[in-house]
Amino acid sequence: MTEQATGAHHPQPRARNAAQQPITEQVTGAQSLIRSLEEVGADTVFGIPGGAILPAYDPMFDSQRVRHILVRHEQGAGHAATGYAQATGKVGVCMATSGPGATNLVTPIADAHLDSVPIVAITGQVASKSIGTDAFQEADIVGITMPITKHNFLVTDAADIPRTIAEAFHIASTGRPGPVLVDIAKDALQAQTTFSWPPVSDLPGYRPVTKPHAKQIREAARLLTQAKRPVLYVGGGVLKARATEELRILAELTGAPVATTLMALGAFPDTHRQHVGMPGMHGSVSAVTAMQKADLLVALGARFDDRVTGKTDTFAPYAKIVHADIDPAEIGKIRAADVPIVGDAREVLADLIVAVQAEHEAGHRGDYADWWRQIDSWRETYPLGYDLPEDGSLSPQQVIERIGQLAPKDTVFAAGVGQHQMWASQYIRYDKPYTWLNSGGAGTMGYAVPAAMGAKAGKPDTTVWAIDGDGCFQMTNQELVTCALNGIPIKVGIINNGALGMVRQWQTLFYNERYSNTVLHSGPGEGAKPALNGTRTPDFVKLAEAMGCVGLRCEDPADLDAVIEKANAINDRPVVVDFICHEDAMVWPMVAAGTSNDEVMAARGVRPDFGDMDD
């Protein structure tokens, strides 16, 4: 469940005023690369050196403005760059060598592409004369990543490095944000060149439209004031555009319900009276049903993702559609728009506020009283909730809820993918933007730990919790070594149910409880032991300690608060808490894949009947 962005307001490469003289220096291509990164304002690079990129690491050793964080796996570098970008609003940077180093970045690049996150991935390439010869550690990373980048470059001439870096940062951070890859041949890094800044950019085909069409804005305002059952369908583009204050003003001006998708949590306060919840496969009944019964959806920076719509041809059957997005390719792609608006979400919202005010002054004001009575009845009848396990074991929902309640103010939460991701979206309150990081579009297991690392590197004074599952954690936990050695004290809460929880849930519901290859803590066969020395395998506490972290374990609900508070009190090292949870907990509500949102299940065996609505 995710959506792509509307306009971004990220810092641009630093401009020089008239009093500053242009820079011209004789340097190597590698020195030119590092100088270019300094000039565009990059302060942190996550990466691993290797043969083809090695020339760049020599001048980086002397840089006073670029901090390099040596990760343990290139996938960690990519997700860290994404977490850094999501938490700070700046462009994240990762670096890898050619061949397997570059291909290890493919997953995080695809992840950033689907969630419209601005990162620049810099890779070394074999010498230009060897390209295409299957040279040692050669991979066509430009060709490989072409479908999953906003743009990519192959640089074989050292003179092109400053311009390419400036363009890469500009493309990544403007319009609909996204990943840009810069692949640089080794001989270009080694060659002598002239470093000149600022460079002259040449992007004749790149002109993102940010200002919406006034006529479309007026029509959207007219529909809003005429509608009886409107919903503001808010996607991650509102966060990308730094438009959360404008969203609040519009929502309160109109009085319309607001649904924030998985990628938009925090764009509108969860605790605000007008917030009806998160829509989608595991959204709240009130949000899913409000969108199904709405007569108008105003989609802002959202892309009608399949996790939100369910079966597309049954989605929001009564609704007219206003669709605003910075990317014209998204409008009409899934659902035809009655009022298409291409523009930056911040400018769209600002103009909509003025247009709605004009409608009000003309005596046209929406009356949503009956609509709110209906929504409130759904909220009261089908609230989010969970049952505590009868055997007295830890409830994963309760664990996550208490982590959220006991966390310091303005804590940033990064989630892995699966049940714990959904519970973290449901049971932690997000009242501020940029406090929720997750892999929405790609659904990348292993995202949480490196993304939390990147967020903490970018915001060192902010508490960062990674909410992870025992499956996800075993994919990228090696980056805790990076955290320990680089003074990045994140906190990790492992929801350890001994299984691939979301897959197990599907096996329970759709595969007659045939649990094929979803148990994590034991091997196959009757003689396999589910536990070792009283703990599940691996022992995450010992593993955490071996990586230079503090390891804690909680199995008893009576100890829950004390363990979380102890983790919150440790700020000089990373902390890992192994929460041993019940394996049969499920995520509810749920819309089964491929079915209509009308078939939302509030709980197992509970399918509300909402009937039809009058047009």
Side-chain angles (χ1 to χ4, degrees):
M1 185 192 310
T2 184
E3 56 295 310
Q4 306 302 358
T6 57
H9 291 264
H10 299 289
Q12 297 303 302
R14 289 191 292 240
R16 296 183 169 270
N17 59 41
Q20 293 177 299
Q21 296 297 316
I23 299 172
T24 303
E25 300 173 1
Q26 291 299 119
V27 295
T28 64
Q31 290 171 319
S32 179
L33 171 62
I34 303 307
R35 292 287 285 112
S36 298
L37 289 173
E38 291 174 342
E39 290 301 318
V40 294
D43 55 27
T44 305
V45 174
F46 303 91
I48 302 180
I53 195 65
L54 193 58
Y57 275 79
D58 188 65
M60 188 158 20
F61 188 73
D62 298 321
S63 177
Q64 301 299 308
R65 290 155 61 181
V66 176
R67 175 193 186 191
H68 183 272
I69 295 176
L70 176 62
V71 299
R72 266 53 196 169
H73 191 287
E74 289 89 355
Q75 182 179 353
H79 290 317
T82 293
Y84 173 96
Q86 288 175 312
T88 66
K90 297 191 288 186
V91 176
V93 185
C94 54
M95 190 175 286
T97 196
S98 63
T103 58
N104 279 344
L105 286 176
V106 169
T107 293
I109 289 172
D111 183 275
H113 177 66
L114 280 163
D115 287 349
S116 297
V117 181
I119 67 170
V120 171
I122 300 169
T123 53
Q125 183 54 275
V126 299
S128 54
K129 289 184 179 179
S130 297
I131 293 175
T133 68
D134 294 331
F136 177 67
Q137 289 193 332
E138 181 187 359
D140 179 11
I141 196 63
V142 168
I144 290 168
T145 61
M146 195 167 289
I148 56 169
T149 52
K150 187 175 178 184
H151 192 64
N152 58 27
F153 299 87
L154 173 62
V155 180
T156 57
D157 184 343
D160 293 334
I161 290 174
R163 175 182 56 79
T164 303
I165 293 298
E167 290 177 354
F169 274 71
H170 176 69
I171 292 169
S173 62
T174 55
R176 175 180 179 169
V180 176
L181 179 125
V182 179
D183 194 34
I184 310 177
K186 186 173 183 177
D187 54 323
L189 291 171
Q190 294 171 321
Q192 289 293 315
T193 186
T194 299
F195 172 72
S196 179
W197 198 273
V200 177
S201 292
D202 182 24
L203 296 169
Y206 184 65
R207 295 286 186 272
V209 175
T210 59
K211 184 68 175 173
H213 195 287
K215 181 181 177 183
Q216 303 299 82
I217 291 289
R218 289 194 299 270
E219 180 63 11
R222 185 185 68 81
L223 289 179
L224 252 176
T225 55
Q226 288 182 350
K228 295 179 181 179
R229 302 186 304 276
V231 174
L232 301 182
Y233 161 29
V234 176
V238 169
L239 289 172
K240 300 293 193 304
R242 294 300 197 259
T244 57
E245 181 60 21
E246 289 81 0
L247 172 63
R248 184 191 61 80
I249 292 170
L250 178 69
E252 293 178 350
L253 177 66
T254 61
V258 179
T260 51
T261 65
L262 182 69
M263 292 303 298
L265 296 181
F268 191 75
D270 278 358
T271 54
H272 194 288
R273 169 73 180 77
Q274 289 172 241
H275 189 250
V276 296
M278 180 181 77
M281 176 176 275
H282 294 294
S284 65
V285 171
S286 54
V288 171
T289 309
M291 291 177 70
Q292 279 301 96
K293 306 305 182 185
D295 63 1
L296 177 69
L297 289 184
V298 180
L300 301 162
R303 63 179 179 92
F304 293 84
D305 179 78
D306 61 282
R307 290 305 196 212
V308 169
T309 65
K311 189 177 180 182
T312 309
D313 57 7
T314 65
F315 174 67
Y318 311 101
K320 288 187 175 181
I321 303 295
V322 174
H323 191 181
D325 202 287
I326 192 72
D327 186 352
E330 288 298 339
I331 296 175
K333 186 178 83 174
I334 305 297
R335 176 70 176 263
D338 296 280
V339 181
I341 302 174
V342 178
D344 175 90
R346 194 172 185 178
E347 297 200 36
V348 168
L349 282 162
D351 288 357
L352 261 178
I353 290 166
V354 174
V356 169
Q357 287 171 332
E359 289 286 329
H360 288 178
E361 290 167 4
H364 308 142
R365 186 180 293 269
D367 180 3
Y368 313 141
D370 289 343
W371 183 221
W372 273 114
R373 277 190 287 271
Q374 181 67 75
I375 290 172
D376 286 340
S377 74
W378 295 331
R379 288 204 279 204
E380 184 177 343
T381 307
Y382 304 104
L384 285 173
Y386 55 89
D387 296 322
L388 297 177
E390 294 180 359
D391 62 2
S393 58
L394 278 176
S395 155
Q397 299 99 317
Q398 183 184 26
V399 169
I400 292 169
E401 185 173 51
R402 292 303 288 159
I403 289 174
Q405 291 168 344
L406 296 173
K409 184 181 179 183
D410 300 333
T411 292
V412 171
F413 298 92
V417 168
Q419 288 182 315
H420 62 281
Q421 174 192 27
M422 294 298 103
W423 289 323
S425 72
Q426 293 173 333
Y427 294 108
I428 296 175
R429 299 275 71 83
Y430 301 99
D431 281 339
K432 290 194 174 180
Y434 318 110
T435 56
W436 165 247
L437 316 178
N438 85 120
S439 170
T444 307
M445 291 180 68
Y447 167 91
V449 169
M453 175 176 71
K456 184 67 173 177
K459 302 187 75 172
D461 297 328
T462 299
T463 300
V464 179
W465 268 96
I467 308 296
D468 221 355
D470 47 335
C472 284
F473 183 71
Q474 291 184 73
M475 292 193 173
T476 53
N477 63 61
Q478 68 271 10
E479 297 311 334
L480 285 169
V481 177
T482 309
C483 292
L485 295 178
N486 286 276
I488 306 173
I490 66 171
K491 306 179 195 303
V492 183
I494 304 172
I495 305 303
N496 186 354
N497 62 2
L500 297 171
M502 189 63 87
V503 184
R504 178 185 170 88
Q505 175 167 333
W506 280 53
Q507 288 174 334
T508 300
L509 295 174
F510 309 119
Y511 292 89
N512 299 317
E513 300 183 9
R514 288 165 55 83
Y515 300 118
S516 173
N517 289 282
T518 46
V519 175
L520 289 170
H521 57 69
S522 66
E526 293 182 5
K529 295 181 179 180
L532 179 65
N533 299 326
T535 64
R536 291 172 174 168
T537 303
D539 184 331
F540 290 132
V541 171
K542 289 181 179 178
L543 183 61
E545 291 171 347
M547 291 189 286
C549 308
V550 175
L552 305 173
R553 178 172 292 114
C554 182
E555 301 182 65
D556 188 338
D559 300 329
L560 180 59
D561 284 13
V563 172
I564 294 171
E565 287 170 346
K566 183 174 182 179
N568 281 328
I570 299 170
N571 292 303
D572 60 342
R573 283 175 291 169
V575 183
V576 176
V577 188
D578 184 16
F579 294 101
I580 306 296
C581 295
H582 198 279
E583 67 179 7
D584 288 327
M586 292 196 192
V587 181
W588 300 107
M590 180 177 179
V591 178
T595 67
S596 168
N597 283 355
D598 289 326
E599 300 177 55
V600 60
M601 293 180 285
R604 189 170 185 178
V606 179
R607 180 168 290 160
D609 181 8
F610 300 105
D612 293 328
M613 304 293 288
D614 295 329
D615 286 336

